[in-house]
Amino acid sequence: MSDMKHLAILIKDLEDQLVVCMRCGMCQAVCPVFAETGREADVARGKLALLDGLVQEMFKDPKGVNDRLMRCLLCGSCSANCPSGVKVLDIFIKARAILTGYMGLHPLKKAIFRGMLVRPEFFNSLMEWGSKLQGIFVKPVDDLLGTSCGRFFSPLGDRHIKALAPVAFHQMVEPMNSRPGASGLKVGFFVGCVIDKVFPGIGEAVLRTMDHHGVGVFLPEDFACCGIPALSSGDTVAFNKLVRYNLQRFTAQPFDFLITACATCTSTIKKLWPLMAQDLDAETQEQVAAMASKTMDVSQFLVDKLGIRQVETQGDEKKVNLTYHDPCHLKKSLGVAAQPRTLLQANPGYRLVEMLEADRCCGMGGSFNLQHYDISAAIGKRKRENIEQSGCEVVATSCPACMLQITDMLSQAGDRIQVKHAIEIYAESLARK
Ligand code: SF4
Ligand code: SF4
């Protein structure tokens, strides 16, 4: 499809969706960015008004509009609280695509998305080298949390980061195509970049759990990114390439469900692949719809399809206090909140204690954290306070991106609280059986 035709379709969609907003301002109360900045331009209503102007005035100041549009976590809190059902995220994603299509992609982003992300083998090699050489630039700061900080002046700023894993998940395991066991079910496993390169233990926990429950697994070779980093910067070219690449890999073998342990990957495949599929041919659109309909979070699969239930045990005093952070992309985007809690409560070694504002955004927001770390960290500190006040020893969540942000906040504050994925907690209980 030509670029101009593509832009015209996106603009028409945008105009149709913008008229639904009645400017009531209900989104203001829940926007984490607005809570920090107090600027009307940062809340959904302000951005929607801006976009209305954008369409009418035909791009008088596209860069200014884009800069304001990028001051958003894409957390979906506004959509979830909107009485008119405005699809705010759909609008923002399409608006970013329009603006990037009009202005062109920044050369650095082009190099990252189109030169690296869409070429998984090359991306993997670069990250392997990065893992070997990162010790020159970062030094460990916290053994419990496994965080590092910059050795000298670095683009990391004050961040306490989780370094790249010494061995990535794709290096630990061979491609798989095992048959269904006792469960009679088989899943495709969509690993995602952060689990592959930073938290391979989460991938191992998923495989151990599937093996324990007799679930067959299809894990293709050279799996790729879901495309969200490219799409959130408006790069539909790289995004569409990644969608096609993943479809090619994951339609190679039949399976019942596509599972992920990354809330952002799940939400992207279920919501954003279909949203942006209009550029793709009819057959690919059908594949996208089919893949989206059978994609689910690993906790949802285990609880809703395998019937995992919480266990009641005696001797509560020996349990470790655990709290849970709801990733926006799981709860607000997909309505999945009970299943990860059930999974946590299926491990008799832990006691779930709810924190205040468990579903309030952690402030990560992918590239938002890179571009607006001051606001991101301010939002993250409120999450850290709620975690600390819960009295927990462990905080669990279902998104590796949230894990990065929460780890950074806890490490900077010197808290002795571990950060784990819900599937890691569950898999620990299987090791005891
Ligand atoms: S996006 Fe929804 S909540 Fe926000 S001003 Fe518009 S109608 Fe109201
Ligand atoms: S998606 Fe989140 S950060 Fe962006 S405007 Fe809505 S509530 Fe605010």
Side-chain angles (χ1 to χ4, degrees):
M1 188 182 296
S2 77
D3 283 354
M4 288 316 293
K5 196 171 165 199
H6 176 210
L7 279 181
I9 290 174
L10 287 173
I11 289 171
K12 176 76 180 62
D13 282 354
L14 200 62
E15 285 176 327
D16 291 348
Q17 291 174 18
L18 280 169
V19 295
V20 183
C21 174
M22 56 185 185
R23 309 284 193 260
C24 68
M26 296 282 281
C27 44
Q28 201 181 68
V30 293
C31 176
V33 176
F34 178 80
E36 292 305 324
T37 66
R39 291 175 43 176
E40 169 69 12
D42 284 335
V43 81
R45 179 175 61 179
K47 292 189 178 84
L48 295 174
L50 185 74
L51 291 175
D52 211 11
L54 170 84
V55 175
Q56 285 164 5
E57 293 176 28
M58 287 309 289
F59 311 135
K60 265 187 194 160
D61 178 21
K63 185 175 178 316
V65 175
N66 195 49
D67 288 349
R68 286 166 67 181
L69 206 54
M70 294 302 278
R71 287 168 65 90
C72 170
L73 292 151
L74 298 179
C75 67
S77 305
C78 44
S79 290
N81 206 46
C82 174
S84 305
V86 178
K87 294 179 177 169
V88 181
L89 294 192
D90 293 9
I91 293 172
F92 289 174
I93 288 283
K94 284 185 175 167
R96 288 182 184 191
I98 290 168
L99 287 159
T100 300
Y102 184 71
M103 295 189 302
L105 192 62
H106 187 282
L108 179 62
K109 288 186 174 179
K110 195 182 251 183
I112 293 171
F113 303 145
R114 300 184 192 174
M116 184 182 76
L117 220 51
V118 300
R119 297 158 66 199
E121 271 188 72
F122 177 57
F123 181 32
N124 287 343
S125 301
L126 275 182
M127 292 299 116
E128 281 162 32
W129 278 105
S131 165
K132 285 179 190 139
L133 299 175
Q134 63 191 343
I136 300 170
F137 306 100
V138 298
K139 60 181 178 192
V141 282
D142 187 321
D143 286 347
L144 182 74
L145 285 159
T147 45
S148 303
C149 66
R151 279 194 188 278
F152 28 76
F153 173 76
S154 88
L156 293 176
D158 296 332
R159 287 178 183 82
H160 286 195
I161 61 158
K162 291 287 286 185
L164 292 165
V167 182
F169 180 70
H170 71 268
Q171 295 172 294
M172 290 176 175
V173 295
E174 295 291 323
M176 297 174 72
N177 189 25
S178 57
R179 279 207 275 267
S183 73
L185 293 173
K186 179 174 176 179
V187 295
F189 179 25
F190 193 98
V191 180
C193 307
V194 185
I195 289 178
D196 183 43
K197 291 161 181 57
V198 182
F199 297 109
I202 298 174
E204 288 185 303
V206 170
L207 292 185
R208 201 159 67 245
T209 303
M210 296 305 137
D211 183 53
H212 177 88
H213 289 294
V215 177
V217 177
F218 173 54
L219 176 67
E221 197 171 5
D222 294 339
F223 46 80
C225 169
C226 67
I228 187 62
L231 187 62
S232 61
S233 285
D235 184 4
T236 53
V237 174
F239 176 76
N240 285 341
K241 271 192 184 169
L242 285 163
V243 171
R244 283 200 199 89
Y245 183 99
N246 281 310
L247 282 174
Q248 201 181 38
R249 296 296 181 283
F250 281 99
T251 52
Q253 294 293 337
F255 49 80
D256 301 298
F257 301 100
L258 183 69
I259 59 160
T260 95
C262 173
T264 304
C265 292
T266 312
S267 167
T268 301
I269 298 168
K270 283 192 87 65
K271 294 280 184 83
L272 299 183
W273 283 17
L275 177 74
M276 303 306 287
Q278 61 205 16
D279 280 1
L280 308 171
D281 58 83
E283 188 189 343
T284 313
Q285 286 188 26
E286 274 177 29
Q287 288 180 335
V288 164
M291 199 60 74
S293 72
K294 64 181 179 182
T295 298
M296 60 177 68
D297 177 73
V298 64
S299 68
Q300 204 180 3
F301 173 74
L302 289 166
V303 173
D304 294 352
K305 302 299 173 187
L306 292 191
I308 304 301
R309 294 287 172 264
Q310 71 178 74
V311 290
E312 307 294 342
T313 54
Q314 304 295 319
D316 247 24
E317 68 285 351
K318 288 190 188 148
K319 292 188 175 188
V320 172
N321 278 348
L322 165 86
T323 198
Y324 179 73
H325 160 70
D326 288 288
C328 297
H329 289 150
L330 205 53
K331 183 173 179 189
K332 297 182 189 103
S333 176
L334 302 172
V336 177
Q339 296 92 332
R341 287 174 168 80
T342 301
L343 209 56
L344 296 171
Q345 290 171 304
N347 185 332
Y350 290 89
R351 181 194 304 111
L352 180 63
V353 287
E354 292 287 349
M355 71 171 101
L356 279 175
E357 303 179 325
D359 63 355
R360 191 174 178 88
C361 181
C362 68
M364 182 61 180
S367 58
F368 182 87
N369 177 279
L370 297 175
Q371 291 175 2
H372 302 288
Y373 186 65
D374 51 342
I375 306 174
S376 172
I379 297 168
K381 279 178 186 152
R382 180 159 167 174
K383 175 60 62 179
R384 177 253 148 203
E385 282 163 18
N386 285 328
I387 293 169
E388 196 267 333
Q389 282 168 17
S390 76
C392 69
E393 292 161 70
V394 178
V395 53
T397 188
S398 302
C399 182
C402 298
M403 288 172 74
L404 292 176
Q405 171 80 338
I406 291 170
T407 303
D408 180 11
M409 295 302 114
L410 294 175
S411 181
Q412 287 196 47
D415 293 316
R416 309 309 291 161
I417 299 172
Q418 287 185 281
V419 182
K420 294 188 181 183
H421 193 286
I423 192 66
E424 292 181 294
I425 300 283
Y426 179 68
E428 281 175 22
S429 70
L430 303 180
R432 292 203 197 101
K433 285 178 182 169

